[in-house]
Structures are given as structure tokens and as C-alpha cells.
Amino acid sequence: MALPTHIRQAPTPQELEYITGEIIVAIEPLFRMEKVRLVSGVYGPFRPPIKTRVPLWLAQSLKLKRKCRIVPPDWFTVDFLTIRLQQETSQLELSKMPFRYAEISKVLLDVAPDDIMDPDKIRILLKDIREARQAKCRSLLLGLDGSYLPTTNLCSMEISEIRLFFSKAMGIIEKLTLEAPQEDEAMSDS
């Protein structure tokens, strides 16, 4: 569903990943430190093995410096993702996933695969879920009419992928529906 860069006006996957950096995640620090005051908030104290909550960008930075272990979200398990894949392949509508699941997954699998139980299996499940959801998005676009497109349970990456196509298609449909009554009037006047 990727579009050429000269017509893309939606955020890129890298921009969405950057935005996702503000999501709060749990870490297990491997160092001791009192609270840290940052522009986005106060985080800490950092005392191993007590979990603390920090923005994803800070967890990513600490993990790269080997100062913490990132605790994966509850939905980031083989069991949860297997159930979601079954729902995606057996139901017509999109299943409920975290809004930024694709971006969070990419960061966690890139930065902290050693903190994840069975990262290879999770990577495969996420790829299968993404492909199933993309197929459903394409079928949603086939059912596009001039007034409504059901978009429940779309995630940020999916919205970004279909945004430009959807807005251009809606513009064309609007032009066609406005031109059709004018042509009918012209034919009836003859």
C-alpha cells in the first residue's frame, strides 16, 4: 500500500515511530538513581529490580546503553497475537489491536529482542496479522461510496497508508456525483 514519495502527504513509518516514542512503557532498571525531571515529566526512581514507567524513547535509549530491560506490553505475547491472527483470518471486520501496535512492535523487536519471549515467532505473527489487515483494508476501499467508509479498529500505520488514496478517491467520487445531476438536467432539457 506504499505510494510514491512525490504524492505521499501522510506521515512516514519513521515519523510514526518517532511519535510513538512518547508512549509510556515499563522497564526494569539495571542501575540506581532517584527521580529524573524531563520536559515530558518526572520519571523514576530507578531501583533494580523494581519496574518503573518511562517514555518509549527513554526506554530505548537506556536499553541501547544496557541500563535497563524493557518489559513488553501485555499484548506482546505469542498467545495474544495468535488469537488476533485467528480473528483477522476468520472475521470480516478488523480485530481490536493497540492503536500503535506496528510502531511499538518494530521498536521492541529492533532494540530489545532479548527481552521478548520467542521474538522470531512474534515477528512472524505480526507480519501475518499485518498482511491480513492490509487485505481487509483493500477490501474496505473496494466498498468505498461517496459518503461513508467503515474504519473501526484501524491502527495509525494503516490510517497513514490509506489516507492519501482515500482522500483522493473521495474527491473524485464527489466530483462525479456533482457532475452526474448536471448531465441529467442537460439531457432532460434537450
Side-chain angles (χ1 to χ4, degrees), residues 38-64:
L38 301 173
V39 173
S40 60
V42 179
Y43 306 103
F46 301 96
R47 295 186 189 120
I50 300 170
K51 295 178 185 173
T52 189
R53 301 183 61 76
V54 298
L56 184 59
W57 66 266
L58 182 57
Q60 189 175 2
S61 176
L62 291 171
K63 178 64 181 177
L64 291 173

mmCIF file of all heavy atoms in Angstrom, residues 38-64:
data_model
loop_
_atom_site.group_PDB
_atom_site.id
_atom_site.type_symbol
_atom_site.label_atom_id
_atom_site.label_comp_id
_atom_site.label_asym_id
_atom_site.label_seq_id
_atom_site.Cartn_x
_atom_site.Cartn_y
_atom_site.Cartn_z
ATOM 1 N N LEU A 38 12.271 15.597 33.415
ATOM 2 C CA LEU A 38 12.432 15.897 32.000
ATOM 3 C C LEU A 38 11.272 16.791 31.571
ATOM 4 O O LEU A 38 10.313 16.967 32.314
ATOM 5 C CB LEU A 38 12.439 14.604 31.182
ATOM 6 C CG LEU A 38 13.525 13.584 31.543
ATOM 7 C CD1 LEU A 38 13.308 12.290 30.778
ATOM 8 C CD2 LEU A 38 14.904 14.152 31.253
ATOM 9 N N VAL A 39 11.361 17.326 30.368
ATOM 10 C CA VAL A 39 10.298 18.192 29.871
ATOM 11 C C VAL A 39 8.962 17.441 29.841
ATOM 12 O O VAL A 39 7.920 17.988 30.178
ATOM 13 C CB VAL A 39 10.651 18.719 28.462
ATOM 14 C CG1 VAL A 39 9.487 19.469 27.853
ATOM 15 C CG2 VAL A 39 11.875 19.601 28.522
ATOM 16 N N SER A 40 9.004 16.160 29.469
ATOM 17 C CA SER A 40 7.771 15.386 29.337
ATOM 18 C C SER A 40 7.234 14.860 30.657
ATOM 19 O O SER A 40 6.145 14.290 30.698
ATOM 20 C CB SER A 40 7.990 14.220 28.373
ATOM 21 O OG SER A 40 9.014 13.376 28.845
ATOM 22 N N GLY A 41 7.993 14.993 31.740
ATOM 23 C CA GLY A 41 7.503 14.525 33.031
ATOM 24 C C GLY A 41 8.619 14.118 33.971
ATOM 25 O O GLY A 41 9.800 14.282 33.671
ATOM 26 N N VAL A 42 8.232 13.587 35.120
ATOM 27 C CA VAL A 42 9.179 13.115 36.124
ATOM 28 C C VAL A 42 9.120 11.586 36.121
ATOM 29 O O VAL A 42 8.039 11.007 36.229
ATOM 30 C CB VAL A 42 8.816 13.664 37.528
ATOM 31 C CG1 VAL A 42 9.780 13.144 38.575
ATOM 32 C CG2 VAL A 42 8.810 15.184 37.508
ATOM 33 N N TYR A 43 10.273 10.955 36.002
ATOM 34 C CA TYR A 43 10.345 9.506 35.904
ATOM 35 C C TYR A 43 11.295 8.955 36.955
ATOM 36 O O TYR A 43 12.291 9.562 37.283
ATOM 37 C CB TYR A 43 10.788 9.084 34.499
ATOM 38 C CG TYR A 43 9.916 9.686 33.435
ATOM 39 C CD1 TYR A 43 10.346 10.776 32.692
ATOM 40 C CD2 TYR A 43 8.638 9.194 33.217
ATOM 41 C CE1 TYR A 43 9.534 11.347 31.727
ATOM 42 C CE2 TYR A 43 7.813 9.759 32.264
ATOM 43 C CZ TYR A 43 8.266 10.834 31.526
ATOM 44 O OH TYR A 43 7.452 11.403 30.585
ATOM 45 N N GLY A 44 10.960 7.765 37.434
ATOM 46 C CA GLY A 44 11.792 7.140 38.446
ATOM 47 C C GLY A 44 11.004 6.986 39.731
ATOM 48 O O GLY A 44 9.796 7.214 39.770
ATOM 49 N N PRO A 45 11.657 6.612 40.772
ATOM 50 C CA PRO A 45 13.079 6.312 40.930
ATOM 51 C C PRO A 45 13.461 5.012 40.227
ATOM 52 O O PRO A 45 12.616 4.161 39.960
ATOM 53 C CB PRO A 45 13.248 6.169 42.434
ATOM 54 C CG PRO A 45 11.908 5.740 42.925
ATOM 55 C CD PRO A 45 10.905 6.382 41.992
ATOM 56 N N PHE A 46 14.723 4.882 39.901
ATOM 57 C CA PHE A 46 15.251 3.718 39.216
ATOM 58 C C PHE A 46 16.009 2.865 40.235
ATOM 59 O O PHE A 46 17.117 3.221 40.641
ATOM 60 C CB PHE A 46 16.182 4.156 38.079
ATOM 61 C CG PHE A 46 15.487 5.022 37.063
ATOM 62 C CD1 PHE A 46 15.559 6.404 37.139
ATOM 63 C CD2 PHE A 46 14.752 4.453 36.041
ATOM 64 C CE1 PHE A 46 14.926 7.206 36.204
ATOM 65 C CE2 PHE A 46 14.110 5.250 35.099
ATOM 66 C CZ PHE A 46 14.186 6.625 35.179
ATOM 67 N N ARG A 47 15.386 1.765 40.633
ATOM 68 C CA ARG A 47 15.996 0.857 41.610
ATOM 69 C C ARG A 47 15.749 -0.576 41.144
ATOM 70 O O ARG A 47 14.610 -1.032 41.133
ATOM 71 C CB ARG A 47 15.373 1.055 42.987
ATOM 72 C CG ARG A 47 15.650 2.414 43.564
ATOM 73 C CD ARG A 47 15.135 2.505 45.001
ATOM 74 N NE ARG A 47 15.232 3.894 45.418
ATOM 75 C CZ ARG A 47 14.200 4.622 45.800
ATOM 76 N NH1 ARG A 47 12.998 4.111 45.840
ATOM 77 N NH2 ARG A 47 14.372 5.884 46.160
ATOM 78 N N PRO A 48 16.814 -1.285 40.795
ATOM 79 C CA PRO A 48 16.605 -2.670 40.364
ATOM 80 C C PRO A 48 16.123 -3.522 41.526
ATOM 81 O O PRO A 48 16.512 -3.258 42.654
ATOM 82 C CB PRO A 48 17.981 -3.127 39.895
ATOM 83 C CG PRO A 48 18.946 -2.058 40.269
ATOM 84 C CD PRO A 48 18.195 -0.877 40.760
ATOM 85 N N PRO A 49 15.307 -4.474 41.326
ATOM 86 C CA PRO A 49 14.585 -4.932 40.131
ATOM 87 C C PRO A 49 13.164 -4.375 40.055
ATOM 88 O O PRO A 49 12.314 -4.952 39.398
ATOM 89 C CB PRO A 49 14.551 -6.442 40.333
ATOM 90 C CG PRO A 49 14.366 -6.599 41.810
ATOM 91 C CD PRO A 49 15.142 -5.451 42.427
ATOM 92 N N ILE A 50 12.899 -3.262 40.702
ATOM 93 C CA ILE A 50 11.554 -2.671 40.718
ATOM 94 C C ILE A 50 11.276 -2.010 39.363
ATOM 95 O O ILE A 50 12.075 -1.204 38.877
ATOM 96 C CB ILE A 50 11.418 -1.640 41.853
ATOM 97 C CG1 ILE A 50 11.676 -2.317 43.199
ATOM 98 C CG2 ILE A 50 10.058 -0.980 41.818
ATOM 99 C CD1 ILE A 50 11.793 -1.350 44.351
ATOM 100 N N LYS A 51 10.118 -2.352 38.790
ATOM 101 C CA LYS A 51 9.738 -1.781 37.497
ATOM 102 C C LYS A 51 9.371 -0.318 37.661
ATOM 103 O O LYS A 51 8.827 0.089 38.684
ATOM 104 C CB LYS A 51 8.562 -2.543 36.907
ATOM 105 C CG LYS A 51 8.890 -3.972 36.557
ATOM 106 C CD LYS A 51 7.669 -4.688 36.028
ATOM 107 C CE LYS A 51 7.992 -6.145 35.813
ATOM 108 N NZ LYS A 51 6.810 -6.919 35.466
ATOM 109 N N THR A 52 9.654 0.455 36.641
ATOM 110 C CA THR A 52 9.239 1.849 36.588
ATOM 111 C C THR A 52 8.753 2.151 35.179
ATOM 112 O O THR A 52 9.088 1.441 34.233
ATOM 113 C CB THR A 52 10.387 2.790 37.010
ATOM 114 O OG1 THR A 52 9.887 4.116 37.141
ATOM 115 C CG2 THR A 52 11.525 2.783 36.019
ATOM 116 N N ARG A 53 7.964 3.196 35.057
ATOM 117 C CA ARG A 53 7.367 3.542 33.760
ATOM 118 C C ARG A 53 8.031 4.788 33.200
ATOM 119 O O ARG A 53 8.169 5.787 33.901
ATOM 120 C CB ARG A 53 5.867 3.718 33.917
ATOM 121 C CG ARG A 53 5.219 2.416 34.449
ATOM 122 C CD ARG A 53 3.739 2.462 34.582
ATOM 123 N NE ARG A 53 3.001 2.700 33.358
ATOM 124 C CZ ARG A 53 2.786 1.791 32.406
ATOM 125 N NH1 ARG A 53 3.293 0.593 32.519
ATOM 126 N NH2 ARG A 53 2.081 2.091 31.339
ATOM 127 N N VAL A 54 8.430 4.690 31.916
ATOM 128 C CA VAL A 54 9.119 5.782 31.228
ATOM 129 C C VAL A 54 8.614 5.848 29.786
ATOM 130 O O VAL A 54 8.029 4.885 29.287
ATOM 131 C CB VAL A 54 10.660 5.579 31.239
ATOM 132 C CG1 VAL A 54 11.209 5.570 32.658
ATOM 133 C CG2 VAL A 54 11.062 4.317 30.511
ATOM 134 N N PRO A 55 8.864 6.954 29.087
ATOM 135 C CA PRO A 55 8.506 7.002 27.660
ATOM 136 C C PRO A 55 9.338 5.987 26.872
ATOM 137 O O PRO A 55 10.463 5.655 27.250
ATOM 138 C CB PRO A 55 8.857 8.431 27.239
ATOM 139 C CG PRO A 55 9.067 9.192 28.481
ATOM 140 C CD PRO A 55 9.410 8.222 29.555
ATOM 141 N N LEU A 56 8.796 5.539 25.770
ATOM 142 C CA LEU A 56 9.470 4.541 24.943
ATOM 143 C C LEU A 56 10.836 5.034 24.471
ATOM 144 O O LEU A 56 11.795 4.262 24.417
ATOM 145 C CB LEU A 56 8.586 4.156 23.749
ATOM 146 C CG LEU A 56 9.099 3.058 22.839
ATOM 147 C CD1 LEU A 56 9.330 1.761 23.601
ATOM 148 C CD2 LEU A 56 8.136 2.826 21.689
ATOM 149 N N TRP A 57 10.964 6.329 24.179
ATOM 150 C CA TRP A 57 12.249 6.838 23.691
ATOM 151 C C TRP A 57 13.321 6.711 24.775
ATOM 152 O O TRP A 57 14.480 6.409 24.482
ATOM 153 C CB TRP A 57 12.138 8.286 23.202
ATOM 154 C CG TRP A 57 11.835 9.299 24.270
ATOM 155 C CD1 TRP A 57 10.604 9.770 24.622
ATOM 156 C CD2 TRP A 57 12.771 9.944 25.142
ATOM 157 N NE1 TRP A 57 10.711 10.670 25.651
ATOM 158 C CE2 TRP A 57 12.036 10.802 25.989
ATOM 159 C CE3 TRP A 57 14.149 9.899 25.287
ATOM 160 C CZ2 TRP A 57 12.628 11.596 26.965
ATOM 161 C CZ3 TRP A 57 14.747 10.688 26.255
ATOM 162 C CH2 TRP A 57 13.994 11.520 27.080
ATOM 163 N N LEU A 58 12.938 6.938 26.034
ATOM 164 C CA LEU A 58 13.897 6.811 27.129
ATOM 165 C C LEU A 58 14.237 5.337 27.370
ATOM 166 O O LEU A 58 15.406 4.990 27.585
ATOM 167 C CB LEU A 58 13.336 7.450 28.401
ATOM 168 C CG LEU A 58 14.243 7.436 29.628
ATOM 169 C CD1 LEU A 58 15.581 8.111 29.339
ATOM 170 C CD2 LEU A 58 13.555 8.123 30.801
ATOM 171 N N ALA A 59 13.239 4.471 27.296
ATOM 172 C CA ALA A 59 13.484 3.034 27.441
ATOM 173 C C ALA A 59 14.430 2.546 26.348
ATOM 174 O O ALA A 59 15.358 1.778 26.604
ATOM 175 C CB ALA A 59 12.167 2.271 27.382
ATOM 176 N N GLN A 60 14.212 3.027 25.153
ATOM 177 C CA GLN A 60 15.060 2.659 24.015
ATOM 178 C C GLN A 60 16.503 3.122 24.247
ATOM 179 O O GLN A 60 17.452 2.368 24.045
ATOM 180 C CB GLN A 60 14.478 3.292 22.748
ATOM 181 C CG GLN A 60 15.089 2.860 21.468
ATOM 182 C CD GLN A 60 14.357 3.469 20.276
ATOM 183 O OE1 GLN A 60 13.412 4.250 20.409
ATOM 184 N NE2 GLN A 60 14.792 3.106 19.094
ATOM 185 N N SER A 61 16.662 4.342 24.692
ATOM 186 C CA SER A 61 17.995 4.880 24.956
ATOM 187 C C SER A 61 18.703 4.116 26.075
ATOM 188 O O SER A 61 19.877 3.764 25.952
ATOM 189 C CB SER A 61 17.881 6.365 25.319
ATOM 190 O OG SER A 61 19.137 6.886 25.655
ATOM 191 N N LEU A 62 17.988 3.852 27.165
ATOM 192 C CA LEU A 62 18.575 3.102 28.274
ATOM 193 C C LEU A 62 18.920 1.670 27.856
ATOM 194 O O LEU A 62 19.950 1.129 28.259
ATOM 195 C CB LEU A 62 17.628 3.092 29.474
ATOM 196 C CG LEU A 62 17.425 4.429 30.180
ATOM 197 C CD1 LEU A 62 16.309 4.326 31.208
ATOM 198 C CD2 LEU A 62 18.717 4.894 30.823
ATOM 199 N N LYS A 63 18.083 1.069 27.039
ATOM 200 C CA LYS A 63 18.346 -0.299 26.586
ATOM 201 C C LYS A 63 19.608 -0.345 25.723
ATOM 202 O O LYS A 63 20.430 -1.265 25.859
ATOM 203 C CB LYS A 63 17.138 -0.834 25.805
ATOM 204 C CG LYS A 63 17.322 -2.224 25.252
ATOM 205 C CD LYS A 63 17.480 -3.240 26.360
ATOM 206 C CE LYS A 63 17.685 -4.629 25.778
ATOM 207 N NZ LYS A 63 17.919 -5.622 26.804
ATOM 208 N N LEU A 64 19.762 0.628 24.844
ATOM 209 C CA LEU A 64 20.954 0.666 23.985
ATOM 210 C C LEU A 64 22.234 0.854 24.791
ATOM 211 O O LEU A 64 23.307 0.408 24.383
ATOM 212 C CB LEU A 64 20.817 1.761 22.927
ATOM 213 C CG LEU A 64 19.747 1.491 21.859
ATOM 214 C CD1 LEU A 64 19.565 2.701 20.965
ATOM 215 C CD2 LEU A 64 20.089 0.246 21.042
#
